[in-house]
């Protein structure tokens, strides 16, 4: 059998759950519902952050970045997923697969670093409230956000070409919903240990280092909270961090399981459901987590809607 370097010009076949058409119909409805929730929730947060002057703070600047990131991540992967779930055609072009792989890797890396930046923001707010405006001045916020975006896209610029250039011996069937790195590495007909070692080394900087910074930040926060004498003060301090902690737990739990193990160790169905979780569930619940108990956002929504009603 002749080896082909990289992807076939005919593209790939995203298998998904094509052997279970009834399950695919259910998944189509579920994915579509979560995608619409993602659009509504994240567009709302971005709009409120831009329209309400009281939300022009470092916390909401980073939250707007996270919402834009979630919108980009889902829009880059979910429409193709819906198309493949809806009917018998499971194909994706080579260019489409390459673009999907690039943006999934890039935006996933951006979110890892951005969550660490948001943890630093919460640490500054709780531990150094008097210096908060100096530590998180607008220029510093833009620099930290730029660092997150450059880190994620830099990682993807390295890993995407390496993954796509693997010889696959004519194999075109991707046993997944997406052109994701573990699935594409698993299709290779050569030893991929060197590439997996490179991926793990980069993951230390893009996934594990930000996670370590998050843990350090919350260690400082926990120590500061323990020094607060009043119960109301401790509750208020933890309240400012609870949403971020929930998002970190949801995101990092699935990402670490997916990317910090060899490509062929987990079952395919398990990997597919984990991908569905962090592709559609996490981006849709992030806005809910940040807004359900957030008085600032609720009041901003009332002001913006009230102003719009008054204008009409």
């Amino acid at each position: 059998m002749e080896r082909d370097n990289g992807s076939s010009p005919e593209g790939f076949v995203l298998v998904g759950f094509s052997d279970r058409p009834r399950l695919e119909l259910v998944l189509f409805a579920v994915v579509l519902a979560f995608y619409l929730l993602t659009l509504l929730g994240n567009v709302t947060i971005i709009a409120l952050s831009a329209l309400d002057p009281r939300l022009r703070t470092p916390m909401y600047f980073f939250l707007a970045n996270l919402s834009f990131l979630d919108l980009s991540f889902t829009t880059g992967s979910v429409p193709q997923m819906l198309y493949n779930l809806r009917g018998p055609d499971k194909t994706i072009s080579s260019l489409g697969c390459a673009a999907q792989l690039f943006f999934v890797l890039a935006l996933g890396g951006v979110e890892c670093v951005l969550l660490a930046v948001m943890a630093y923001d919460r640490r500054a707010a709780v531990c150094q409230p008097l210096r908060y405006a100096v530590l998180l001045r607008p220029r510093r916020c833009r620099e930290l956000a730029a660092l997150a975006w450059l880190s994620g896209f830099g990682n993807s610029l390295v890993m995407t070409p390496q993954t796509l250039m693997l010889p696959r011996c004519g194999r075109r069937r991707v046993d997944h919903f997406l052109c994701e790195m573990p699935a594409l590495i698993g299709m290779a007909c050569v030893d991929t240990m060197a590439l997996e070692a490179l991926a793990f080394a980069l993951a230390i900087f893009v996934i594990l280092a930000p996670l370590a910074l998050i843990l350090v930040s919350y260690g400082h926060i926990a120590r500061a909270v323990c020094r607060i004498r009043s119960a109301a003060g401790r509750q208020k301090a933890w309240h400012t961090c609870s949403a971020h902690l929930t998002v970190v737990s949801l995101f990092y739990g699935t990402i670490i399981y997916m990317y910090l193990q060899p490509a062929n160790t987990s079952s395919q169905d398990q990997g597919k459901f984990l991908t569905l979780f962090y592709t559609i569930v996490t981006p849709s619940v992030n806005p809910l987590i940040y807004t359900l108990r957030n008085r600032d956002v609720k009041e901003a929504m009332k002001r913006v809607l009230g102003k719009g009603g008054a204008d009409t």
Side-chain angles (χ1 to χ4, degrees):
M1 185 180 294
E2 183 181 355
R3 289 185 177 183
D4 64 330
N5 290 322
S7 58
S8 165
E10 299 174 3
F12 294 94
V13 178
L14 298 173
V15 176
F17 288 113
S18 55
D19 58 334
R20 284 169 270 183
R22 291 185 179 179
L23 177 59
E24 285 199 323
L25 288 176
V26 174
L27 289 176
F28 175 84
V30 171
V31 171
L32 179 60
F34 274 103
Y35 182 50
L36 295 177
L37 284 174
T38 300
L39 294 178
L40 177 62
N42 288 290
V43 167
T44 299
I45 287 179
I46 293 171
L48 289 176
S49 299
L51 294 174
D52 194 304
R54 299 184 190 181
L55 295 187
R56 290 172 191 168
T57 63
M59 175 181 171
Y60 292 103
F61 171 77
F62 295 128
L63 182 55
N65 270 264
L66 180 64
S67 292
F68 179 74
L69 171 64
D70 285 339
L71 280 177
S72 303
F73 187 83
T74 53
T75 302
S77 56
V78 170
Q80 178 71 45
M81 188 188 300
L82 289 172
Y83 174 79
N84 292 136
L85 287 171
R86 188 170 180 269
D89 185 9
K90 311 295 182 185
T91 58
I92 183 172
S93 67
S94 296
L95 181 60
C97 185
Q100 194 174 77
L101 173 65
F102 176 79
F103 284 107
V104 166
L105 281 175
L107 297 173
V110 174
E111 184 152 358
C112 290
V113 181
L114 185 60
L115 288 174
V117 170
M118 295 173 76
Y120 171 72
D121 167 69
R122 293 299 81 207
R123 173 190 170 185
V126 174
C127 301
Q128 298 172 291
L130 298 179
R131 298 188 60 209
Y132 181 68
V134 176
L135 293 173
L136 275 301
R137 56 188 180 273
R139 182 178 177 180
R140 176 72 59 81
C141 291
R142 291 192 295 269
E143 290 171 348
L144 290 172
L147 174 65
W149 287 91
L150 289 173
S151 299
F153 277 84
N155 174 63
S156 188
L157 283 171
V158 174
M159 290 307 305
T160 298
Q162 296 292 327
T163 303
L164 292 174
M165 288 190 297
L166 284 172
R168 296 186 177 85
C169 303
R171 298 171 184 167
R172 297 176 54 229
R173 293 172 62 84
V174 183
D175 194 9
H176 219 295
F177 293 107
L178 305 172
C179 287
E180 225 186 13
M181 189 175 69
L184 292 174
I185 290 177
M187 293 170 59
C189 56
V190 295
D191 184 11
T192 60
M193 186 175 296
L195 180 59
E196 291 183 46
L198 174 62
F200 185 83
L202 289 174
I204 292 175
F205 294 99
V206 178
I207 299 177
L208 293 183
L211 179 59
L213 292 174
I214 290 171
L215 295 176
V216 169
S217 294
Y218 276 101
H220 285 281
I221 290 172
R223 188 169 60 181
V225 169
C226 291
R227 292 175 180 172
I228 299 175
R229 295 183 178 181
S230 68
R234 288 195 297 269
Q235 184 177 3
K236 181 180 179 181
W238 279 121
H239 178 72
T240 64
C241 305
S242 59
H244 180 258
L245 269 175
T246 305
V247 170
V248 167
S249 301
L250 289 174
F251 179 77
Y252 265 100
T254 52
I255 287 295
I256 288 176
Y257 187 87
M258 288 289 294
Y259 286 96
L260 294 185
Q261 62 175 340
N264 296 313
T265 57
S266 62
S267 71
Q268 288 296 330
D269 283 359
Q270 188 179 51
K272 293 172 189 177
F273 281 114
L274 284 171
T275 298
L276 283 175
F277 185 82
Y278 78 76
T279 302
I280 64 167
V281 177
T282 303
S284 65
V285 299
N286 282 353
L288 296 177
I289 292 170
Y290 276 104
T291 58
L292 281 179
R293 297 175 60 192
N294 192 313
R295 186 182 302 173
D296 292 338
V297 174
K298 292 178 182 178
E299 291 179 355
M301 189 174 296
K302 292 177 182 178
R303 286 193 295 270
V304 171
L305 293 177
K307 184 178 179 181
D311 291 342
T312 56

